[in-house]
Amino acid sequence: MSRKLTRQTVDRMEAEVKHLKDVLIPTAEAEVVDSKTAGDNSENTEFINAYNVKQQHEARLKTLETTMRDATIVDTADLSKVDEGVVVRMDFGGGDCEDMYVSDSEASTAVTLDVVTPESPLGSALIDSSVGDKVSYILANGTTVIVEIVDIRELNADEQKS
């Protein structure tokens, strides 16, 4: 499935790919090699931990590369309706507002806001809604929650983790 990503998001992902390839994975590989000298690898926790870290970095790299390869890059997010790559301010009732970033779960490591995925009950209710719309979704316990869309905007630089 093709995801819509802004140029800003792709740039952030490319920087993370570069850091993984240039720093994190080579460092993890060196730690794996160094820890092998400690003896039997089946009981060598240093080796096992280093190997697991290397695997995590490689998995993240694969996820980023796949996401970017399959993405549709848009110049800016369409702010007339909720879609992936936007921040939505929602009123949960009584003026209790919260901002959430609409994206895949991988974005949670890159932003300071809570992330709502388009596939989640809240996310699927939000997609294609506009400012002023009230949408509802059902919690796991069967409770229906109604939220009002107060604002739709792009992610600010200070909301991105460096």
Side-chain angles (χ1 to χ4, degrees):
M1 178 177 122
S2 178
R3 296 203 180 267
K4 294 177 187 173
L5 300 176
T6 62
R7 171 51 50 199
Q8 177 184 18
T9 300
V10 171
D11 290 347
R12 178 196 52 79
M13 293 172 83
E14 287 173 343
E16 186 177 351
V17 164
K18 181 172 177 24
H19 185 66
L20 282 162
K21 286 181 174 181
D22 295 349
V23 178
L24 296 179
I25 292 173
T27 300
E29 288 171 343
E31 289 175 8
V32 167
V33 170
D34 289 347
S35 64
K36 280 185 178 182
T37 61
D40 179 10
N41 290 336
S42 66
E43 296 180 11
N44 181 343
T45 57
E46 206 175 294
F47 169 78
I48 293 168
N49 290 339
Y51 184 79
N52 287 340
V53 167
K54 178 180 172 286
Q55 292 295 98
Q56 289 170 354
H57 291 323
E58 289 173 342
R60 178 68 177 149
L61 176 64
K62 183 178 180 180
T63 298
L64 288 167
E65 289 177 333
T66 300
T67 301
M68 288 189 300
R69 182 190 66 232
D70 297 341
T72 300
I73 300 172
V74 294
D75 289 332
T76 57
D78 175 5
L79 302 177
S80 65
K81 293 195 176 286
V82 175
D83 200 354
E84 280 191 74
V86 301
V87 175
V88 181
R89 173 163 288 176
M90 297 164 283
D91 184 344
F92 285 84
D96 181 20
C97 293
E98 185 174 345
D99 289 351
M100 290 188 169
Y101 185 57
V102 182
S103 188
D104 62 29
S105 59
E106 294 293 327
S108 64
T109 62
V111 298
T112 59
L113 298 172
D114 288 335
V115 173
V116 60
T117 64
E119 297 81 17
S120 69
L122 174 57
S124 62
L126 290 171
I127 295 296
D128 290 329
S129 61
S130 302
V131 171
D133 289 352
K134 291 184 179 181
V135 299
S136 64
Y137 65 102
I138 300 173
L139 299 176
N141 67 5
T143 303
T144 299
V145 177
I146 299 172
V147 299
E148 181 178 354
I149 310 305
V150 176
D151 188 31
I152 303 169
R153 63 177 174 80
E154 290 191 59
L155 188 68
N156 296 326
D158 64 334
E159 294 168 331
Q160 297 181 44
K161 294 179 184 174
S162 38

